[in-house]
Amino acid sequence: HIERLNEKAGTNYRASSAATQRHINGRIKEGFTLEDFFTVIDKKCAEWKNNAEMQKYLRPETLFGTKFES
């Protein structure tokens, strides 16, 4: 999950972060799959990576939070 985000967004987040793990585990408990995470990462990176205002939201808290499905 985090490796894909770092690769696509050019970020350097750690998978070991407690907050990151909490967000990912929350979505897994809701039944989302690895492919779902990849879809969200790919879509949001395509939409936000070249937008200076939105780039800051390419982070685990935003992408894997409670609005994951939308």
Side-chain angles (χ1 to χ4, degrees), residues 2 13-24 60:
I2 297 304
Y13 292 106
R14 293 177 295 133
S16 60
S17 163
T20 297
Q21 288 181 4
R22 186 176 65 250
H23 291 299
I24 290 172

Side-chain angles (χ1 to χ4, degrees), residues 2-67:
I2 297 304
E3 293 81 16
R4 175 77 161 236
L5 175 59
N6 286 334
E7 175 188 322
K8 293 282 186 173
T11 55
N12 203 20
Y13 292 106
R14 293 177 295 133
S16 60
S17 163
T20 297
Q21 288 181 4
R22 186 176 65 250
H23 291 299
I24 290 172
N25 289 334
R27 301 306 69 81
I28 290 171
K29 286 179 183 177
E30 292 174 351
F32 291 103
T33 67
L34 181 61
E35 287 302 315
D36 294 325
F37 283 89
F38 288 170
T39 297
V40 168
I41 291 166
D42 292 349
K43 286 179 92 174
K44 291 305 171 188
C45 283
E47 289 177 21
W48 294 348
K49 188 173 181 184
N50 295 316
N51 181 325
E53 179 62 28
M54 297 304 289
Q55 276 181 347
K56 62 186 171 193
Y57 297 113
L58 290 174
R59 61 186 183 198
E61 179 181 352
T62 304
L63 298 179
F64 309 143
T66 56
K67 296 181 182 178

